[in-house]
Amino acid sequence: MSISSSTQPNKQEQLAAMREFSNNTNARLPVLFLLDTSSSMNGIIRGDNQHIVRQEYADGINWNIVTGDNMVTRMDELNTGLQRFVSDILADPLAKLAADVAVMTFARTVATVKEFGPIRESDAGLRISTSQENETLLGEAVELALSELDSRKRTYRAHGVEYYQPWLVVMTDGVPTSARHRELEGRLKELTADRKLSVFVFGIGRADLSELCSISPGRPPMQVNEQKFPELFAWLSRSVRTVSMSMPGDGVSLTPLPEDVWQV
């Protein structure tokens, strides 16, 4: 596995953090999106005049390669949802002050698309792209995400900034191509039981929910309607606002997801 950023902040990052935390002393809610960009995310969810060209095997599943007009992929819909989240946070003054968001993607390797920090106007164009990699090393990606969250919490403590229970939001399709995620089950259970982490796991398409249970302690993984990403991300942004209205350490009950988000 590789990652494009180090968990040890350099001097420039330390100075940026000093400016950020001196300008905004509000408690932060760290939200790390860990998003699957394996080639199967190119799966077509709607389009006109569809025609199957051939079959290919990727991420443990046989896929039909399709041509047609006005094609919309899972990745297209996920990006629409991600942009909805950004616009919702920007429109809410309280959530904008609290949300501390990072975006990481994974297939065989892991990349950081957005470092931890506030949502800014420039993030309105935030988009992720599908990788050419066919592997889905989910467990390795989760392990790196946990390291990033630990690093961010150390930064908060170094600057005297309060923070809410961190969120790890995982979205994946297909089947993990290694067993590392199963080995993390005990660690994730301990973190959630100690109220040091909230994990939200969403299965896309033909994701294997039984495998995803290993990384989803506290709440079962949910199979998401892949045409309802905007609604899912809108729920996440509303949940950020709900948390931002509380005090760090308080127990917060989030509203249930709209039913049409998970009815597939």
Side-chain angles (χ1 to χ4, degrees), residues 34-65:
L34 187 60
L35 307 176
D36 187 348
T37 56
S38 57
S39 57
S40 55
M41 287 294 290
N42 274 329
I44 304 297
I45 59 174
R46 63 179 180 272
D48 302 325
N49 307 315
Q50 295 185 46
H51 173 68
I52 298 173
V53 178
R54 63 183 187 280
Q55 280 198 333
E56 284 187 7
Y57 183 80
D59 299 340
I61 295 174
N62 284 313
W63 300 92
N64 293 325
I65 306 302

Side-chain angles (χ1 to χ4, degrees), residues 28-189:
R28 300 303 202 279
L29 171 59
V31 180
L32 195 158
F33 287 102
L34 187 60
L35 307 176
D36 187 348
T37 56
S38 57
S39 57
S40 55
M41 287 294 290
N42 274 329
I44 304 297
I45 59 174
R46 63 179 180 272
D48 302 325
N49 307 315
Q50 295 185 46
H51 173 68
I52 298 173
V53 178
R54 63 183 187 280
Q55 280 198 333
E56 284 187 7
Y57 183 80
D59 299 340
I61 295 174
N62 284 313
W63 300 92
N64 293 325
I65 306 302
V66 177
T67 62
D69 303 317
N70 305 314
M71 301 293 237
V72 177
T73 67
R74 290 174 182 157
M75 186 58 72
D76 293 331
E77 288 293 272
L78 192 151
N79 275 312
T80 299
L82 191 58
Q83 289 156 17
R84 171 69 182 270
F85 178 85
V86 168
S87 63
D88 285 354
I89 296 297
L90 287 172
D92 189 294
L94 199 57
K96 186 179 177 181
L97 289 171
D100 189 22
V101 179
V103 179
M104 296 171 65
T105 62
F106 71 98
R108 181 176 57 82
T109 54
V110 176
T112 300
V113 177
K114 181 189 182 307
E115 302 278 1
F116 269 115
I119 294 291
R120 298 184 172 90
E121 296 291 342
S122 58
D123 293 316
L126 185 65
R127 291 183 63 84
I128 60 174
S129 301
T130 309
S131 168
Q132 297 303 307
E133 298 171 347
N134 289 332
E135 291 184 79
T136 305
L137 296 182
L138 174 66
E140 290 83 348
V142 169
E143 199 163 26
L144 286 169
L146 293 177
S147 294
E148 291 292 313
L149 285 165
D150 282 342
S151 176
R152 194 57 171 170
K153 287 189 290 184
R154 287 195 296 271
T155 300
Y156 295 148
R157 290 192 288 268
H159 293 275
V161 172
E162 288 190 291
Y163 60 92
Y164 301 97
Q165 184 174 336
W167 289 8
L168 174 59
V169 181
V170 184
M171 299 186 184
T172 181
D173 74 341
V175 179
T177 50
S178 84
R180 182 61 183 149
H181 59 288
R182 299 173 196 161
E183 299 167 13
L184 296 175
E185 186 169 4
R187 180 181 173 189
L188 288 166
K189 278 184 177 178

Side-chain angles (χ1 to χ4, degrees), residues 228-240:
K228 294 291 182 178
F229 277 116
E231 289 83 354
L232 170 57
F233 278 91
W235 176 81
L236 287 166
S237 61
R238 286 196 303 273
S239 299
V240 169

